[in-house]
Amino acid sequence: MRYRTICKNKEFSRVYSRGKSYVHPQLVLYVAKNRVGHTRIGLTATKKVGGAVQRNRARRVMRAALAEHLAANVGGYDIILVARAQTPKLKSTQVSRTLAKLMRAAGLPDRAAAGENPA
């Protein structure tokens, strides 16, 4: 499932400043309510993560984990996932487990835990 994305620096800054962060050594999750009515997703991987290949792998793994866990009816949230240095070295199942923990801490519904079919 494709989600709407956060593209503008202003939108990222708003989530960073007003949102709540949930930190793990493998991943950081920022969550903030929005007034748009639908969920928007932002994925970031800085140069600290590595070269272009490592950054792209980190984003790809995070995108797969989000598709597995984020339910379509979450509501109006802005969600940003920030890759850490370990992220591109991990298997997608490890990132998925980490994201499940962070989403549980944030109080977001987990599609995989609810038994929904990720189609």
Side-chain angles (χ1 to χ4, degrees), residues 29-105:
L29 174 72
Y30 288 90
V31 179
K33 277 270 202 196
N34 67 25
R35 295 182 183 171
V36 182
H38 55 266
T39 301
R40 297 184 299 184
I41 304 297
L43 301 174
T44 60
T46 64
K47 288 190 176 183
K48 290 180 184 179
V49 173
V53 174
Q54 286 82 19
R55 292 194 307 270
N56 288 334
R57 174 169 165 65
R59 284 191 292 266
R60 190 170 55 246
V61 169
M62 290 188 302
R63 196 175 300 119
L66 262 174
E68 183 179 342
H69 290 284
L70 189 63
N73 59 354
V74 172
Y77 286 99
D78 286 339
I79 298 172
I80 296 177
L81 284 176
V82 180
R84 293 264 178 87
Q86 294 180 9
T87 308
K89 300 172 187 154
L90 299 171
K91 304 254 185 213
S92 61
T93 55
Q94 293 170 310
V95 175
S96 182
R97 281 194 301 264
T98 301
L99 182 62
K101 289 178 190 176
L102 293 175
M103 287 180 66
R104 194 173 26 243

Side-chain angles (χ1 to χ4, degrees), residues 6-17 44 80:
I6 299 173
C7 297
K8 296 181 181 175
N9 187 26
K10 176 176 69 172
E11 296 167 347
F12 275 97
S13 297
R14 187 188 72 78
V15 177
Y16 289 141
S17 64
T44 60
I80 296 177

